[in-house]
Amino acid sequence: MSTEVAQPDFDNIEATPDSASETATPKGRRKLVIIGAAAVLGFALLGGGGYLFLGSGQGVGTAREDPPVFYELPEMTVNLSSVDQRPQFLRVQIALEMKDRETKEAVEQVLPRVLDAFQVYLRELRSTDLQGSAGIYRLKEELVRRVNLAVHPAEIDNVVFKEIIVQ
């Protein structure tokens, strides 16, 4: 028993256009144009992103031109506010981060005002105010605000905690 597969006879097919092939050709071109446009757009976005992060010297991911300047405040120990009259203490070592030396000089000129602002605020805190990372973050934001009020028109960028101890 032999199994033969019938081969189509391509020589006898007429070359008459039918309606299915006429509508398929423009749709195929349209798909190619859309795919091509999407590919070009994708390459443009990748190229632009690569230029920003790798190529240009002023992209989002580049570091500052000048390194930040730090000013270390003297260590502070304060009594915390307590509901049960049990003495609790906070000891902090803080450095102020700023953009340039001119700001550092402005801080040095009004240092007693900065320390006073810190002392007054820290004495009103309770130990529960300092619990968790959210408490430390709020403390940092409030100290930045207070030091910027004290050194205005100069401005610091950040408060850096070198040590925080609550007893």
Side-chain angles (χ1 to χ4, degrees):
M1 217 195 252
S2 78
T3 56
E4 285 188 33
V5 177
Q7 295 289 331
D9 186 17
F10 290 109
D11 295 334
N12 293 333
I13 296 179
E14 293 182 24
T16 59
D18 57 328
S19 62
S21 67
E22 286 179 3
T23 58
T25 304
K27 285 184 181 178
R29 284 187 195 154
R30 190 175 304 145
K31 284 183 183 179
L32 284 176
V33 169
I34 291 172
I35 290 172
V40 168
L41 181 63
F43 284 125
L45 289 174
L46 285 173
Y51 175 75
L52 281 176
F53 289 109
L54 301 174
S56 77
Q58 300 175 8
V60 176
T62 59
R64 293 186 198 179
E65 293 175 6
D66 298 326
V69 177
F70 291 95
Y71 182 78
E72 292 189 28
L73 297 177
E75 181 180 292
M76 289 185 274
T77 304
V78 296
N79 292 335
L80 294 175
S81 180
S82 175
V83 177
D84 60 1
Q85 302 302 321
R86 197 180 90 213
Q88 290 184 312
F89 298 96
L90 170 70
R91 185 172 78 196
V92 292
Q93 288 182 343
I94 298 173
L96 305 177
E97 181 181 349
M98 54 206 77
K99 292 179 182 154
D100 50 29
R101 297 211 179 272
E102 290 81 23
T103 307
K104 182 177 180 180
E105 292 169 4
V107 169
E108 289 172 339
Q109 290 176 358
V110 293
L111 185 61
R113 187 182 305 160
V114 171
L115 293 175
D116 177 63
F118 281 13
Q119 289 277 342
V120 169
Y121 177 70
L122 293 174
R123 287 181 180 274
E124 289 300 317
L125 292 175
R126 296 180 301 268
S127 63
T128 56
D129 295 332
L130 301 172
Q131 290 180 343
S133 61
I136 300 300
Y137 180 79
R138 284 191 300 270
L139 174 63
K140 181 181 281 208
E141 292 298 312
E142 184 62 29
L143 293 179
V144 167
R145 188 183 76 76
R146 288 177 181 263
V147 74
N148 281 333
L149 287 173
V151 301
H152 185 75
E155 187 173 302
I156 68 156
D157 296 331
N158 197 10
V159 167
V160 179
F161 292 116
K162 295 177 68 179
E163 181 180 43
I164 301 175
I165 297 176
V166 179
Q167 285 184 324

